[in-house]
Each structure stands twice: as C-alpha cells, then as structure tokens.
C-alpha cells in the first residue's frame, strides 16, 4: 500500500473563508487537535499576511511537535524571509512558496512574462532552501496552465531544490479524468519528478474537489491537501475527512493508506465548526449529523439484521461511539471521566472538575446527558475566552400580548452593572440590554440556534457573528434555556472583540459616559 501524505491547510486556506477569523489561541488549539488527528503537515498560516498570522505560525512552530509545520510565502524575498523567521522554532519546518503559472494569472494578476515567472519561481525555491531543507513549490492555477510550461517550471524548481511540487486546481475547474491526464502528463514530461513528492490541492467550485483529489492519488500523487469540513474560500477546499475515509473504505481500489487517526475525525470536525462558527450541513458526508442516521423502516430493518446492509463504514471509525452508559445527575465524577475517556478526551484534573461542575448543572435540568451534550460542554469550555464582561443575571419577560423586555446584570471587574431594554423579541431585548451595559458598538451579522440533541429538554446551541470594522467575530453559547444561550453567545463575541481591540491598542470606550453601576 502506498502511503499518502496528508497536508492540512484549515488554518491557512480554510481561514480564508468569508467570515472566518480565528485568534492565536484558537489556532493553537486547532493545531493541537490536528496533531492528535495525525495529519502529516499543518499549514499554520501565511506569516507575511498579518502580525496575527506571523504570531500564530511562530507559536504553533514552538509548541507543536510531530507534524511538519508549513508557512506560506509568495515567490518574493520578503515573504520567504518572514516565513523562515516564523518557522525558526519548528522541529520540522517547511516553506511553501507559490507563483501562478496560467496565462490569465501571469498576464492579468502578476503582469509578468512566463520567463519572469520561471526565474522568480527558481529564485524563490533557492532562497527558501537556504533556510530549510523542506521546500514545497505550488504552481498556482496549474490546471489552467499550458502543460509544457507547467512542466518546465516544475523541472526548474526541482533542480533548485524543491522537495514537494504541488499542482493546485485553484479555481476548482478541472474534472477527475482531466486531472488524471494532467498528473500522468507531469510524471512523463518533468525531469526529476521521480525524486520529489507530487502533491495536489483542489478547490470545490464545481463540487469536484474530493473526486479530483482521489483521481490524482490514483494517478500517482502522494500528497493531498485539504481542510477539515471542506472549509475554504468560495466553495471551499477538498474535505480531508472525505478523502481519508474514501481511501480507507475503498483501499481495494486505491491501494493507498494514510497515517490519520480516523477516530479523531468527528471531534476535529466539531472543533473546526465551533471555533469558526461555520455549521456543517446535516447531510455532509462523514461528519454531517445524518451521515450515520437511518430513518426509513426498510433501512432500519436491514441495519438490525446486519449493519453492513446500509453502513459502509462504522460510526466508531470516525470517533462517533455509541454510548451504552447513560449519564444523569447521580453519575459520579468517575463515571464522567470514564465516559469522556471513551469519547477520546483525556482531561486534566482541573479540566475535569470544571466539566463535572457544568455536567451536574446540566443534569439537574436534563434527565439524561448524552455524548453530544458532553461534547457541547467541552466545546463551550474550549471556546471560553478571557471575560471582561460576565453575565451574572438575566431575566426576560415575553408573551404574545406583552412587549418583550430583558434585564441583565453584568460584572466588569469589581463593577456590577444592570440595565433593562425592550426589543422585537426576548433575544433582541437581551442584546439591547447587554449593549447598554457594555457600550460597545457591534453589528450582529449572523445568529443561528440549534438543538444539540432531540427532546424537549435539549441543550440549545447559539452561534453569533458580529462585525467590527470589517472583522467578523464569532461567539457561542449553550444552555437548556435558549435566551440564556443567546446572551452567552453574544457576550462571548463582545469579550473577544474587547480583547482584539486591546491587542490592536485601541480603547473601546473613549468619550463615553460611565455605565450605570449598582
Ligand atoms: O489554491 C491555491 O492555488 C492555493 C495555493 C497557494 C497553493 O491555495
Ligand atoms: Zn487554495
């Protein structure tokens, strides 16, 4: 079996999704989870793009051991030097440099001749190799490039020291048969190609990213790039979990395997969705809520006879274990710890204490606490931010004949502030009351509410996005009371915003009168 290298770019290409903005701590948390998942390469960011990206790549390089850490750089000296600085502490650093090779990109975006592109590519790889031994070169928009020129560029960068050459389908234009032809052509017409890793990087504009990636693997590619949940610009990147499970489930066709710990897939998918605020569609392959659900009677009957009748892979193989143990308020700390361990979470004593506290509060309101409830509690803790404002009290009054009104009491340091407001509905009223206390101007751009499990006593999960000067910030809250979940999510977004502004050296309340204190 050939071994396929899994290159994860959730933190770089995935973060380029509209509305997605991860802070440094969130990126580090995700990188830790990607390492647990067993990806071979983590593309941690684009260090020249912003100080935040630089810092994230630096921290991930310092703290993550195991996977190769890659930093992206255009084929420019300043980009490559910045990437090299960010990767200084990485045990296994990789500089990933790229330049476009298609006529349309060279003429209209770069305004460079093919000869200029060729020498920029060569120089970039030579410079990158002067810093690290592991250099990846990407020919951006490769699938719309002229094949002989593409091979000439690849041969040149291989001679200059590239160790991986990547063939991106940047605009998601190719088809599986065409991509098979392209990889075959490259293998036949590129001197030195047998000495390097051939990688592919597919976008999903025509919904073909995973199919194209698999076609390329079958044609001889040995590295595949993608993101968790298929996150990414426009229609996204190839979903890594789909590629990996296709290789595993159809090993008979592909004769290829990966090092991925597939049992960590579901947890990673949830984490990406929670931290980015981008929901996973219910019928999404592998990680959608319905991917292992069987509704029709005929299917259920078949499943009872033999699960393989309608299940081509087990939920356990992606880490969706079916619990035999039901937890409730009489379950002790030990039972909780054991269940969490079965679900793949090893918590420190302190984390376990915090989770147990929240578990008992939840079990008081809900008879049975399911695995999904526990997962939601853990995600809530994972996304906890430093709180400038803490919600101490919330009361709403609403009904079909009354004006919805909310009162909130919020702690800010040793000040406790209380405000009330009316609104179109109870959530609107609560948000207006919170605005009055915090005095932070935000624009709520998205609000979504979902139930974590079925049942009338289900945990409600609210995700919000607020915009602050073009930056989108997400907040998340869970509670069996949906107004409380809504308030928690909104206040979390505000707390994140305060931190961002502080980091950017701004003061958030200049020129405003002091809020009412009680
Ligand atoms: O899609 C693309 O071409 C890219 C490159 C930078 C690899 O993301
Ligand atoms: Zn891309």
């Amino acid at each position: 079996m050939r071994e396929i290298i899994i290159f994860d770019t959730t933190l770089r290409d995935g973060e380029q999704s509209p509305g997605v903005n991860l802070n440094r701590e969130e990126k580090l948390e995700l990188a830790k989870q990607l390492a647990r998942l067993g990806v071979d390469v983590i593309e941690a960011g684009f260090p020249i793009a912003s100080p935040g990206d630089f810092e994230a790549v630096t921290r991930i390089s310092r703290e993550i051991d195991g996977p190769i850490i890659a930093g992206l750089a255009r084929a420019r000296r300043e980009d490559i030097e910045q990437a090299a600085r960010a990767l200084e502490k990485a045990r296994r650093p990789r500089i990933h440099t790229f330049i476009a090779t298609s006529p349309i990109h060279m003429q209209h975006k770069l305004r460079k001749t093919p000869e200029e592109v060729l020498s920029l590519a060569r120089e970039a790889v030579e410079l990158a190799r002067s810093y690290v031994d592991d250099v990846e070169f990407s020919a951006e928009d490769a699938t719309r490039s002229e094949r002989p020129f593409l091979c000439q560029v690849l041969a040149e960068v291989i001679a200059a020291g590239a160790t991986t050459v990547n063939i991106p389908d940047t605009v998601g234009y190719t088809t599986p048969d065409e991509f098979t032809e392209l990889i075959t052509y490259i293998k036949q017409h590129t001197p030195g190609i047998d000495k390097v890793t051939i990688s592919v990087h597919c976008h999903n504009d025509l919904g073909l990213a995973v199919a194209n990636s698999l076609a390329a693997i079958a044609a001889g590619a040995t590295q595949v790039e993608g993101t968790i949940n298929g996150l990414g610009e426009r229609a996204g990147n190839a979903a890594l979990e789909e590629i990996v499970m296709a290789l595993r489930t159809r090993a008979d066709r592909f004769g290829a395997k990966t090092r991925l710990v597939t049992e960590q897939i579901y947890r990673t998918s949830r984490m990406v969705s929670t931290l980015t605020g981008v929901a996973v569609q219910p019928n999404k392959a592998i990680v959608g809520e319905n991917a292992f659900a069987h509704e029709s009677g005929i299917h259920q009957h078949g499943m009872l006879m033999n699960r393989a009748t309608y299940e081509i892979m087990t939920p356990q193989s992606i880490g969706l274990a079916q619990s035999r143990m039901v937890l409730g308020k009489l379950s002790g700390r030990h039972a909780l710890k054991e269940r969490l361990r079965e679900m793949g979470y090893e918590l420190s004593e302190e984390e376990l204490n915090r989770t147990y506290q929240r578990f008992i509060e939840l079990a008081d309101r809900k008879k049975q606490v399911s695995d999904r409830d526990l997962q939601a509690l853990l995600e809530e803790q994972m996304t906890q931010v430093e709180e400038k404002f803490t919600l101490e009290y919330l009361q709403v009054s609403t009904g079909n004949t009354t004006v919805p009104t909310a009162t909130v009491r919020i702690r800010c340091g040793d000040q406790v502030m209380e405000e009330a407001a009316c609104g179109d509905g109870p959530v609107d009223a609560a948000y207006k009351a919170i605005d009055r206390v915090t005095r932070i101007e935000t624009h709520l751009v998205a609000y979504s509410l979902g139930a974590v499990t079925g049942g009338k006593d289900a945990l409600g999960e609210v995700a919000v996005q607020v915009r602050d000067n073009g930056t989108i910030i997400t907040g998340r809250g869970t509670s069996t009371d949906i107004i409380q979940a809504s308030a928690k999510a909104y206040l979390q977004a505000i707390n994140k915003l305060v931190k961002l502004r502080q980091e950017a050296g701004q003061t958030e309340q200049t020129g405003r009168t002091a809020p009412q204190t009680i």
Side-chain angles (χ1 to χ4, degrees), residues 9 12-13 16 168-170 201-203 225 233 237:
T9 183
R12 199 276 299 171
D13 226 348
Q16 286 174 218
D169 183 27
T170 303
H201 172 115
C202 297
H203 280 266
E225 305 192 359
E233 284 215 74
N237 287 60

Coordinates of all heavy atoms in Angstrom, one line a residue, residues 9 12-13 16 168-170 201-203 225 233 237, ligand 2:
T9 N -4.6 22.3 5.5 CA -4.5 23.8 5.4 C -5.7 24.5 5.9 O -6.1 25.6 5.6 CB -4.2 24.2 3.9 OG1 -4.0 25.6 3.9 CG2 -5.2 23.8 2.9
R12 N -4.8 27.9 7.2 CA -4.4 28.9 6.2 C -5.5 29.1 5.1 O -6.3 30.0 5.1 CB -3.1 28.5 5.6 CG -2.3 29.6 4.9 CD -2.8 29.8 3.5 NE -2.6 28.7 2.6 CZ -3.1 28.6 1.4 NH1 -3.8 29.6 0.8 NH2 -2.9 27.6 0.6
D13 N -5.7 28.1 4.2 CA -6.7 28.3 3.2 C -8.1 28.2 3.8 O -9.0 29.0 3.4 CB -6.6 27.1 2.1 CG -6.6 27.7 0.7 OD1 -7.0 28.8 0.5 OD2 -6.3 26.9 -0.2
Q16 N -9.3 31.4 5.1 CA -9.6 32.4 4.1 C -11.1 32.4 3.8 O -11.5 33.2 2.9 CB -8.7 32.2 2.9 CG -7.3 32.7 3.0 CD -6.4 32.3 1.9 OE1 -5.2 32.0 2.0 NE2 -6.9 32.4 0.6
P168 N -2.1 22.8 -7.9 CA -3.4 23.2 -7.4 C -4.4 23.4 -8.5 O -4.1 23.9 -9.6 CB -3.1 24.6 -6.7 CG -1.6 24.8 -6.7 CD -1.1 23.9 -7.8
D169 N -5.6 23.0 -8.2 CA -6.7 23.4 -9.0 C -7.4 24.6 -8.3 O -8.4 24.4 -7.7 CB -7.7 22.2 -9.1 CG -8.9 22.5 -10.1 OD1 -8.7 23.3 -11.0 OD2 -9.9 21.9 -9.9
T170 N -6.7 25.7 -8.5 CA -7.0 26.9 -7.7 C -8.5 27.4 -7.8 O -9.1 27.8 -6.8 CB -6.1 28.0 -8.1 OG1 -4.7 27.5 -7.9 CG2 -6.3 29.3 -7.3
H201 N -3.9 20.0 -4.7 CA -4.6 20.9 -3.8 C -5.9 21.4 -4.6 O -5.8 22.2 -5.5 CB -3.6 22.1 -3.6 CG -4.2 23.2 -2.8 ND1 -3.8 23.6 -1.6 CD2 -5.1 24.2 -3.2 CE1 -4.4 24.7 -1.2 NE2 -5.3 25.0 -2.1
C202 N -7.0 20.8 -4.3 CA -8.2 21.1 -5.1 C -9.2 21.9 -4.4 O -9.6 21.7 -3.2 CB -8.8 19.7 -5.5 SG -7.7 18.7 -6.5
H203 N -9.8 22.9 -5.2 CA -10.9 23.7 -4.7 C -12.2 23.1 -5.2 O -12.2 22.3 -6.2 CB -10.7 25.1 -5.0 CG -9.7 25.8 -4.1 ND1 -10.2 26.5 -3.0 CD2 -8.4 25.8 -4.0 CE1 -9.1 26.9 -2.3 NE2 -8.0 26.5 -2.9
E225 N -3.8 17.8 -0.3 CA -4.0 19.0 0.6 C -5.5 19.2 0.7 O -6.3 19.0 -0.3 CB -3.3 20.2 0.0 CG -1.8 20.0 -0.3 CD -1.0 21.2 -0.6 OE1 -1.6 22.3 -0.6 OE2 0.2 21.1 -0.8
E233 N -12.0 29.2 0.9 CA -12.5 30.3 0.0 C -13.6 29.8 -0.9 O -13.6 28.7 -1.3 CB -11.4 30.9 -0.8 CG -10.5 31.7 -0.1 CD -9.9 32.9 -0.9 OE1 -10.7 33.8 -1.2 OE2 -8.8 32.8 -1.3
N237 N -12.3 24.0 0.1 CA -11.2 23.1 -0.4 C -11.7 21.7 -0.3 O -12.8 21.4 0.2 CB -10.0 23.2 0.6 CG -9.3 24.5 0.4 OD1 -9.8 25.6 0.6 ND2 -8.0 24.4 0.1
Ligands
LIG2 ZN1 -6.1 27.0 -2.2

